[in-house]
Amino acid sequence: MARAASASGAPSRGARGLARTGAPVALEAEIAATAAAPAVDDAVLEPLRAYVRGHATGAPAHFRDAFLPTAHIEGIRDGAFVSWGQDEYCALFPGRPAPDESTRSRRVDAADVHGGVATAAMTLRHGADTFTDVFLLVRGDGGWRIANKVCHRHPAP
């Protein structure tokens, strides 16, 4: 599924059940699964776009648009478990892009909707480091927002 998502620039769903033997999924099966998967509504992706804008600009306001006020951001960073509320997370961003912003990239790898909740996975390449972010999104009166995010930082060797 990664090849199809990468080639199309659009998130795709996992190839659950296609490789029951544990063997790699053939490109043709990946394409078939991607073609058969229902498209994720654009509104579900909007909080993820706000999240990306926050990283790209360094402006915490974008994160406040993306996350519910009660959201938590947790995961492994520099080998240690971290847990931040929205205010603590926003304080990490100085209000301006990173000096190497032009070399950074972010990609939504997968998104899946289950009624009023959704999950999404994103890969972020920031300099020599790669981050894997997994999101839980919820739909409320004001649309979709990120309820929680977990992340893993893969430092450069």
Side-chain angles (χ1 to χ4, degrees):
M1 297 307 288
R3 290 181 293 228
S6 180
S8 69
S12 59
R13 298 178 65 188
R16 292 184 295 270
L18 289 179
R20 289 185 179 86
T21 64
V25 176
L27 178 58
E28 294 79 17
E30 229 180 78
I31 292 169
T34 302
V40 175
D41 189 300
D42 215 35
V44 176
L45 299 177
E46 186 50 40
L48 301 174
R49 291 185 185 109
Y51 175 79
V52 167
R53 285 191 298 273
H55 273 284
T57 65
H62 295 293
F63 295 113
R64 295 187 190 287
D65 291 341
F67 288 99
L68 288 171
T70 56
H72 275 83
I73 296 88
E74 299 179 321
I76 306 299
R77 187 173 175 136
D78 297 328
F81 179 77
V82 295
S83 181
W84 296 302
Q86 187 188 69
D87 290 338
E88 295 167 294
Y89 185 71
C90 287
L92 299 172
F93 295 88
R96 64 185 176 283
D100 66 345
E101 177 56 37
S102 65
T103 66
R104 294 180 173 205
S105 69
R106 295 142 194 115
R107 178 186 73 223
V108 176
D109 300 310
D112 225 349
V113 178
H114 310 275
V117 298
T119 56
M122 182 182 289
T123 300
L124 300 89
R125 298 195 193 290
H126 290 179
D129 294 333
T130 299
F131 295 81
T132 300
D133 290 355
V134 178
F135 301 88
L136 175 63
L137 299 98
V138 295
R139 183 176 54 211
D141 292 337
W144 288 91
R145 304 279 297 278
I146 300 169
N148 287 303
K149 179 190 102 153
V150 294
C151 61
H152 181 78
R153 182 180 191 178
H154 311 272

